[in-house]
Each structure stands twice: as C-alpha cells, then as structure tokens.
Amino acid sequence: MELRKLKDSLIQELVVVTGILDLIRWDENGEITNQYVIISFRDSCHSSLPNIHNHKFIEVRFDDEKYLPKGETEETFFKDAEQVAEFIKIQVDCGKKVICQCSYGISRSAGCAAAILENYLGSCDEIIKNPKYDINRSVYKGVLRELKEKTKL
C-alpha cells in the first residue's frame, strides 16, 4: 500500500500519524481502505474535515495550546478524551487501524497515537523519541488515562 511509503507519516501495526494534506491525498487516491478509521483534530477556527469518502471518523475541536489555562492541568485540559478513547476502543476491538490526523501531523495527532501505542503495545517510544514529533501532552495524557480505564480487565 502506498501509505507505507510516505516518509512524513509514522506507520505502525495499529496507528498512523499524519497531517491534513496527506490525509486528503490518500483519500483522493483511494489509499484509505475500510480497515482504517480517522480521528481528526481540528482547530476551532478551521472548517470541518472535507468529505472523506464515507470513512468512519470522529472530528475533535481542540486548539493546540502551548500554555494551559489557569486552573487546568495536562491531565484535565483535553475535555474530549473520554469520547476519543471510546471511539478508539470500539474500533480497535473491531480490528481497525487508526489514522490520527491534525493540521501538520506533529502534535495533537502524535499525542493521540502515542497514547494508543502505549495502551495497546506497552510502548510509544517510536513517537516520543522521534524528533519530528512534539506531542501534545494534554491529548496524550487524557487519551491514555481514558483508554486505560476503558481497557482494564
């Protein structure tokens, strides 16, 4: 599959990290098969995700803030963590692979992908130690916390 050849995206057994332009190109080229679902992180000022040929996806409005608002912590700031984790759990349980997409595929999507890998594979070093990524810690901690809660025995 052509997705595996793209050097600007992290491909794992379980998750793909990408930006919006690659996602749109993959969709237009028919490279996103029904084995994938999409989590799209969008800035509140941007329009919704373009129609991605009826692929199952969840759109999350979350600005990539560098500084937390007063009274918030990295653990509590990402308010949609439970909804995102529920979507991930359902889809992974059905054998789907998750495409995590944000504007550039560097921060929010990388944070979400790192949480998925840490929860399901026990390590997210491939993302955390990669200098290409600057993970959004609020997304990472929030999604990981909720995934651990939803997938514990």
Side-chain angles (χ1 to χ4, degrees), residues 6-134:
L6 293 171
K7 63 179 166 68
D8 290 336
S9 298
L10 174 71
I11 308 297
Q12 267 278 343
E13 184 71 20
L14 190 61
V15 68
V16 178
V17 179
T18 191
I20 185 67
L21 295 179
D22 280 341
L23 182 71
I24 292 170
R25 187 177 75 243
W26 294 340
D27 184 53
E28 288 172 350
N29 292 340
E31 296 175 45
I32 303 175
T33 65
N34 64 0
Q35 70 181 351
Y36 293 98
V37 295
I38 301 164
I39 299 173
S40 176
F41 289 90
R42 309 291 290 156
D43 292 323
S44 57
C45 64
H46 291 146
S47 59
S48 292
L49 188 67
N51 184 18
I52 301 293
H53 291 104
N54 299 318
H55 297 293
K56 182 165 267 194
F57 75 93
I58 183 173
E59 184 172 83
V60 182
R61 295 289 180 159
F62 184 68
D63 293 329
D64 197 6
E65 300 290 338
K66 294 298 178 195
Y67 303 100
L68 294 173
K70 188 175 182 173
E72 293 284 358
T73 66
E74 287 180 340
E75 289 78 14
T76 63
F77 183 53
F78 181 44
K79 305 296 185 208
D80 292 319
E82 183 176 2
Q83 175 189 8
V84 170
E86 183 68 23
F87 179 80
I88 293 165
K89 182 186 181 317
I90 290 168
Q91 300 306 321
V92 169
D93 286 354
C94 291
K96 302 292 185 177
K97 296 179 182 182
V98 182
I99 297 175
C100 299
Q101 172 268 315
C102 63
S103 296
Y104 298 104
I106 294 172
S107 183
R108 292 165 290 182
S109 58
C112 185
I116 294 168
L117 294 176
E118 183 66 35
N119 186 72
Y120 287 99
L121 303 179
S123 174
C124 58
D125 286 350
E126 192 167 345
I127 294 175
I128 299 290
K129 293 182 177 181
N130 187 330
K132 175 187 176 194
Y133 301 109
D134 181 18

